Amino acid sequence: TLFRSLSPSPEQIGKIRSELEVVNGNVKVMSEMLAELVPGQASPSDVELLSELNRTCRHMQQRVVELIPRLLNEQLTEELLLVNDNLNNVFLRHEIGRA
């Protein structure tokens, strides 16, 4: 399907940036948990929280990836690409930690 390009209004830009702050917060928490948890020794509640963060971040990443090719705002596109990179890095660390 073809997506139409978006030239976001200042309000939409503010909303997207607000959502990106939430994503960045989740990435930070997930990254800190991955740094501190010892595989095989984590409590069930920590494992569940990490799994929930992983699911939430993956859902958020879908929205980020959908927006990237559609936005006609270079600065916002750069911010989305950076967030996407951060998400991919934390997902990779999560996968390595589970291996």
Side-chain angles (χ1 to χ4, degrees), residues 36-82:
E36 295 191 16
L37 293 180
V38 178
Q41 297 179 8
S43 72
S45 62
D46 283 344
V47 171
E48 179 54 36
L49 177 58
L50 192 57
S51 294
E52 183 61 34
L53 276 168
N54 186 54
R55 283 189 296 273
T56 299
C57 285
R58 287 194 182 273
H59 179 73
M60 291 174 157
Q61 186 186 37
Q62 286 180 317
R63 175 134 166 78
V64 167
V65 170
E66 287 171 7
L67 279 175
I68 289 171
R70 297 176 61 195
L71 286 179
L72 298 176
N73 180 307
E74 191 172 329
Q75 184 179 357
L76 200 53
T77 299
E78 287 176 14
E79 291 174 39
L80 288 165
L81 288 168
L82 181 60

Side-chain angles (χ1 to χ4, degrees), residues 8-19:
S9 69
E11 293 81 19
Q12 289 170 317
I13 290 172
K15 185 174 188 293
I16 291 169
R17 285 210 168 109
S18 175
E19 290 174 8

Side-chain angles (χ1 to χ4, degrees), residues 4-41:
R4 60 186 178 89
S5 296
L6 299 173
S7 186
S9 69
E11 293 81 19
Q12 289 170 317
I13 290 172
K15 185 174 188 293
I16 291 169
R17 285 210 168 109
S18 175
E19 290 174 8
L20 291 180
E21 285 179 30
V22 171
V23 175
N24 283 327
N26 284 339
V27 167
K28 184 176 184 220
V29 171
M30 192 171 169
S31 184
E32 288 171 357
M33 287 187 75
L34 287 168
E36 295 191 16
L37 293 180
V38 178
Q41 297 179 8

